[in-house]
Each structure stands twice: as C-alpha cells, then as structure tokens.
Amino acid sequence: MNSTHTESLKERKPIIISGPCSAETEEQTLETCLALAKTGRVNMIRAGIWKPRTKPGMFEGIGTKGLPWLKKVKDLTGLPVAVEVATERHVEDCLTFEIDAVWLGARTTVNPFSVQEVADALKGVNIPVMIKNPINPDIELWSGAIERISKAGITNITLVHRGFSSYGNMDYRNVPMWHLPLELKRRRPDIKMICDPSHIGGRRDVLLDISQKAIDLEFDGLMIESHIDPGKAWSDAAQQVTPDRLLELLNAIVWERNSSDAEMMPLEKLRDQINHIDDEIMLLLSRRMNLADKIGLYKKENHMRILQSHRWQQVLDWAITKGESLGLSKDFVLNYYGVIHTESMSRQQRIVE
Ligand code: PEP
Ligand code: MN
C-alpha cells in the first residue's frame, strides 16, 4: 500500500448529517437540533417536512409551516440545513426559507417524472443535492437521477445509500445490498457516497454495525436520524436516537484503520462483500424453505405426493441454463440444487407426517 493511500485515509473527514426524521413541533425541532450542534460532530442538519408515507392517514409531515423552524436552527447553530423535496413547490418553498441543501428520497428517485420536476425547479440555483437510492435495487435508475440533477446545473451532488425494499421478513427494514452502492462508487469516484443506517436498519440497535460497515467500505459519511425523545417520534420512532446516543455512536465507530490495517484493506473489502452476499443468501434460503413448508401443507391437505418429479425436472433444467449463463458449472448447480431439494423434501415429509 503506498503512503498516499494511507494519508488519504487519515485525511478523510466524514460528513455527518443528523436531525429528526420529521420536524414535528418548533420545540422538538429546536431542542433536537441545538443538542446535535452541541455534539460538535454534526456538519449538517436534516429534517423531513413533507413525508412520503406508505399509507394515507400516517403523519405526512408538518409542511411549509416547519420551514421557519429550520431557518431558526440555521441561525442559532450556524449549521446548514437540508430538507427532502419531491415536487417543484417543495423546492420553491425551501428556497424561500433559505434551506441550504435538499435531498431526493428513495420514493422520489424511483420516479423519473418526479426527479425531472425537481431538477427543473433547481435550474439556476446551484445548491447541494443529495440523492438517495431508489427503493428498488436498480443502479441505472439511481444513475439516471444523477444525470437529471447534473444536467440542471447542480455541481455538488452526494449519494445516500439507504438500502432497498424487499418482500418478507428481513433482518433489517431495507436490504443493504452493499455491492450496488460500491458499484456506483466505482463508476463515479468523483461523487461522494454516504450511508443512511437509520433507514437500512429500521432499529436503533443495529446503527453502529451498519455505520461501521459503511466506514470500512470507505463511504464518505453518514446520515443518521436523531430525535430529542425518539420513543415519542411521529415517524420512524424505532430507528431514531437521542443526540447523546448519536455522539456515543460516533465515538464508537473506528474511523481510520492504522497502516497495517490499511494494508489489509483490499482483502478486507473483498471479504466484507462476500460476507454481505452470504448474509443475503442465508435470508433467501430461509425464505425459500418457508415457501417449501407452505407447499408441504398444501400437499398434505390435498393428499398429494411430496415428490413431483416433473416439477423437479423443470426446476433443474431452469437452474442449469441460468447457471450456465452466469458462469456456474452444471456440476456445481446440480450439487447445490441437490442439497436444497433434499432439505425441502425432508421438511415437507415432516409436515405431511
Ligand atoms: C427520510 O430520510 O426520512 C426518508 C423518508 O427516507 P427514505 O427516502 O430513505 O425512505
Ligand atoms: Mn425517516
């Protein structure tokens, strides 16, 4: 490892963005943000003003009324403030209240019409823009949003990795799929990439682990949600931390590896990517077995035989062709599916009996 690389690691100054998921009241916004400023570790304040919620009737954000609270935060702390925008009006309101930076949320990046609307509204105002990954694992959609925002004349773009939505019971609220942000980092080393462990984890207790992983993978910083009284938050209560806890968390992260660690970095990085993929393989295998159990129940109720050889042949034919197209040998695919099939059959056997 040459010394330039080691130096650049040491010189890395992490971007730390924190603030409540949502601005709820003037008091909650000011208390939270003043306490965050006091930690001395936060370089930018975030707060949601308009919240894209999964279902109607959930708290949809305080709206424009909250923008003067953020202006106050900015005046009192001297810190820049950032807000999520999804429409032209959001951008206009933010500019009126001198919001310093804006971000596109995961549910906006996913929609090229919305990204374009925000990009058009930003033409001629070169403020920093953060772009969260789209909710679905589509790196091209994420890149498309970068292109739309750059074409509007925005020169300060930061990407935010917040994980990807998935069906079923997962460890985290959103699957990290670290290989996707890493691929985008590889393609666009000129753009900073930070991690949002709050929305990946969905729970406070996993924030440190996720943050440490991001820093080890050379992300440029973190966006972490903080609330003066997290349990009482009107949105994302389970994942927010108090400003004090945020400081503890930031102190617990190992920001720089010493030079002997740094020499290990390429190997560590590769192993880390393997660990993440293994983690996803395990979750997928467990989901596959759960589905096999459901099929077992169905077969039992309908007095069907467990082994349906026609179906098994179809699965194998598909797997061999798919494997070949991905550079996996037929032997490997047959072995792998053999083990999976044996386990599925014996689980179904137990159910039937
Ligand atoms: C948020 O940052 O509060 C938010 C809504 O995040 P995301 O777009 O990542 O879901
Ligand atoms: Mn949130």
Side-chain angles (χ1 to χ4, degrees), residues 275-286:
N275 292 346
H276 291 301
I277 291 178
D278 283 347
D279 199 47
E280 280 162 26
I281 290 177
M282 282 299 190
L283 287 165
L284 289 173
L285 278 176
S286 147

PDB file of all heavy atoms in Angstrom, residues 275-286:
ATOM      1  N   ASN A 275     -19.144 -11.456   2.787  1.00  0.00           N
ATOM      2  CA  ASN A 275     -19.996 -11.623   3.984  1.00  0.00           C
ATOM      3  C   ASN A 275     -21.402 -11.091   3.746  1.00  0.00           C
ATOM      4  O   ASN A 275     -22.377 -11.687   4.174  1.00  0.00           O
ATOM      5  CB  ASN A 275     -19.389 -10.903   5.188  1.00  0.00           C
ATOM      6  CG  ASN A 275     -18.111 -11.578   5.647  1.00  0.00           C
ATOM      7  OD1 ASN A 275     -17.831 -12.711   5.248  1.00  0.00           O
ATOM      8  ND2 ASN A 275     -17.332 -10.887   6.452  1.00  0.00           N
ATOM      9  N   HIS A 276     -21.489  -9.948   3.076  1.00  0.00           N
ATOM     10  CA  HIS A 276     -22.822  -9.390   2.829  1.00  0.00           C
ATOM     11  C   HIS A 276     -23.623 -10.271   1.890  1.00  0.00           C
ATOM     12  O   HIS A 276     -24.815 -10.490   2.080  1.00  0.00           O
ATOM     13  CB  HIS A 276     -22.729  -7.983   2.254  1.00  0.00           C
ATOM     14  CG  HIS A 276     -22.212  -7.005   3.239  1.00  0.00           C
ATOM     15  ND1 HIS A 276     -22.836  -6.778   4.442  1.00  0.00           N
ATOM     16  CD2 HIS A 276     -21.114  -6.229   3.244  1.00  0.00           C
ATOM     17  CE1 HIS A 276     -22.137  -5.893   5.124  1.00  0.00           C
ATOM     18  NE2 HIS A 276     -21.083  -5.547   4.426  1.00  0.00           N
ATOM     19  N   ILE A 277     -22.943 -10.801   0.881  1.00  0.00           N
ATOM     20  CA  ILE A 277     -23.666 -11.672  -0.052  1.00  0.00           C
ATOM     21  C   ILE A 277     -24.110 -12.935   0.676  1.00  0.00           C
ATOM     22  O   ILE A 277     -25.251 -13.386   0.539  1.00  0.00           O
ATOM     23  CB  ILE A 277     -22.791 -11.988  -1.286  1.00  0.00           C
ATOM     24  CG1 ILE A 277     -22.630 -10.699  -2.106  1.00  0.00           C
ATOM     25  CG2 ILE A 277     -23.417 -13.090  -2.138  1.00  0.00           C
ATOM     26  CD1 ILE A 277     -21.772 -10.833  -3.322  1.00  0.00           C
ATOM     27  N   ASP A 278     -23.226 -13.500   1.516  1.00  0.00           N
ATOM     28  CA  ASP A 278     -23.592 -14.706   2.277  1.00  0.00           C
ATOM     29  C   ASP A 278     -24.798 -14.438   3.167  1.00  0.00           C
ATOM     30  O   ASP A 278     -25.688 -15.277   3.312  1.00  0.00           O
ATOM     31  CB  ASP A 278     -22.412 -15.181   3.137  1.00  0.00           C
ATOM     32  CG  ASP A 278     -21.373 -15.915   2.288  1.00  0.00           C
ATOM     33  OD1 ASP A 278     -21.690 -16.252   1.140  1.00  0.00           O
ATOM     34  OD2 ASP A 278     -20.255 -16.140   2.784  1.00  0.00           O
ATOM     35  N   ASP A 279     -24.811 -13.269   3.762  1.00  0.00           N
ATOM     36  CA  ASP A 279     -25.922 -12.883   4.620  1.00  0.00           C
ATOM     37  C   ASP A 279     -27.229 -12.909   3.822  1.00  0.00           C
ATOM     38  O   ASP A 279     -28.251 -13.426   4.265  1.00  0.00           O
ATOM     39  CB  ASP A 279     -25.632 -11.448   5.101  1.00  0.00           C
ATOM     40  CG  ASP A 279     -26.427 -11.086   6.322  1.00  0.00           C
ATOM     41  OD1 ASP A 279     -26.451 -11.905   7.240  1.00  0.00           O
ATOM     42  OD2 ASP A 279     -27.028  -9.991   6.332  1.00  0.00           O
ATOM     43  N   GLU A 280     -27.177 -12.357   2.606  1.00  0.00           N
ATOM     44  CA  GLU A 280     -28.384 -12.336   1.773  1.00  0.00           C
ATOM     45  C   GLU A 280     -28.752 -13.744   1.313  1.00  0.00           C
ATOM     46  O   GLU A 280     -29.934 -14.109   1.274  1.00  0.00           O
ATOM     47  CB  GLU A 280     -28.203 -11.367   0.600  1.00  0.00           C
ATOM     48  CG  GLU A 280     -28.430  -9.924   1.070  1.00  0.00           C
ATOM     49  CD  GLU A 280     -27.868  -8.858   0.136  1.00  0.00           C
ATOM     50  OE1 GLU A 280     -27.736  -9.137  -1.069  1.00  0.00           O
ATOM     51  OE2 GLU A 280     -27.564  -7.746   0.632  1.00  0.00           O
ATOM     52  N   ILE A 281     -27.727 -14.568   0.993  1.00  0.00           N
ATOM     53  CA  ILE A 281     -28.015 -15.951   0.570  1.00  0.00           C
ATOM     54  C   ILE A 281     -28.756 -16.683   1.685  1.00  0.00           C
ATOM     55  O   ILE A 281     -29.739 -17.387   1.450  1.00  0.00           O
ATOM     56  CB  ILE A 281     -26.716 -16.710   0.200  1.00  0.00           C
ATOM     57  CG1 ILE A 281     -26.119 -16.152  -1.097  1.00  0.00           C
ATOM     58  CG2 ILE A 281     -26.980 -18.216   0.039  1.00  0.00           C
ATOM     59  CD1 ILE A 281     -24.794 -16.790  -1.511  1.00  0.00           C
ATOM     60  N   MET A 282     -28.288 -16.513   2.931  1.00  0.00           N
ATOM     61  CA  MET A 282     -28.929 -17.194   4.067  1.00  0.00           C
ATOM     62  C   MET A 282     -30.395 -16.776   4.195  1.00  0.00           C
ATOM     63  O   MET A 282     -31.273 -17.621   4.388  1.00  0.00           O
ATOM     64  CB  MET A 282     -28.218 -16.835   5.376  1.00  0.00           C
ATOM     65  CG  MET A 282     -26.949 -17.580   5.575  1.00  0.00           C
ATOM     66  SD  MET A 282     -27.270 -19.356   5.648  1.00  0.00           S
ATOM     67  CE  MET A 282     -25.700 -19.926   6.159  1.00  0.00           C
ATOM     68  N   LEU A 283     -30.631 -15.460   4.102  1.00  0.00           N
ATOM     69  CA  LEU A 283     -32.015 -14.981   4.230  1.00  0.00           C
ATOM     70  C   LEU A 283     -32.879 -15.548   3.113  1.00  0.00           C
ATOM     71  O   LEU A 283     -34.012 -15.974   3.337  1.00  0.00           O
ATOM     72  CB  LEU A 283     -32.040 -13.452   4.187  1.00  0.00           C
ATOM     73  CG  LEU A 283     -31.507 -12.781   5.455  1.00  0.00           C
ATOM     74  CD1 LEU A 283     -31.215 -11.307   5.209  1.00  0.00           C
ATOM     75  CD2 LEU A 283     -32.522 -12.919   6.583  1.00  0.00           C
ATOM     76  N   LEU A 284     -32.328 -15.572   1.899  1.00  0.00           N
ATOM     77  CA  LEU A 284     -33.106 -16.083   0.776  1.00  0.00           C
ATOM     78  C   LEU A 284     -33.375 -17.581   0.937  1.00  0.00           C
ATOM     79  O   LEU A 284     -34.478 -18.057   0.662  1.00  0.00           O
ATOM     80  CB  LEU A 284     -32.371 -15.807  -0.550  1.00  0.00           C
ATOM     81  CG  LEU A 284     -32.352 -14.328  -0.961  1.00  0.00           C
ATOM     82  CD1 LEU A 284     -31.464 -14.105  -2.175  1.00  0.00           C
ATOM     83  CD2 LEU A 284     -33.775 -13.835  -1.269  1.00  0.00           C
ATOM     84  N   LEU A 285     -32.355 -18.319   1.418  1.00  0.00           N
ATOM     85  CA  LEU A 285     -32.558 -19.764   1.624  1.00  0.00           C
ATOM     86  C   LEU A 285     -33.661 -19.997   2.648  1.00  0.00           C
ATOM     87  O   LEU A 285     -34.517 -20.866   2.481  1.00  0.00           O
ATOM     88  CB  LEU A 285     -31.260 -20.419   2.110  1.00  0.00           C
ATOM     89  CG  LEU A 285     -30.250 -20.765   1.018  1.00  0.00           C
ATOM     90  CD1 LEU A 285     -28.978 -21.307   1.642  1.00  0.00           C
ATOM     91  CD2 LEU A 285     -30.829 -21.787   0.042  1.00  0.00           C
ATOM     92  N   SER A 286     -33.634 -19.195   3.701  1.00  0.00           N
ATOM     93  CA  SER A 286     -34.646 -19.377   4.735  1.00  0.00           C
ATOM     94  C   SER A 286     -36.037 -19.061   4.180  1.00  0.00           C
ATOM     95  O   SER A 286     -37.016 -19.763   4.459  1.00  0.00           O
ATOM     96  CB  SER A 286     -34.279 -18.510   5.941  1.00  0.00           C
ATOM     97  OG  SER A 286     -35.414 -18.058   6.583  1.00  0.00           O
TER      98      SER A 286
END
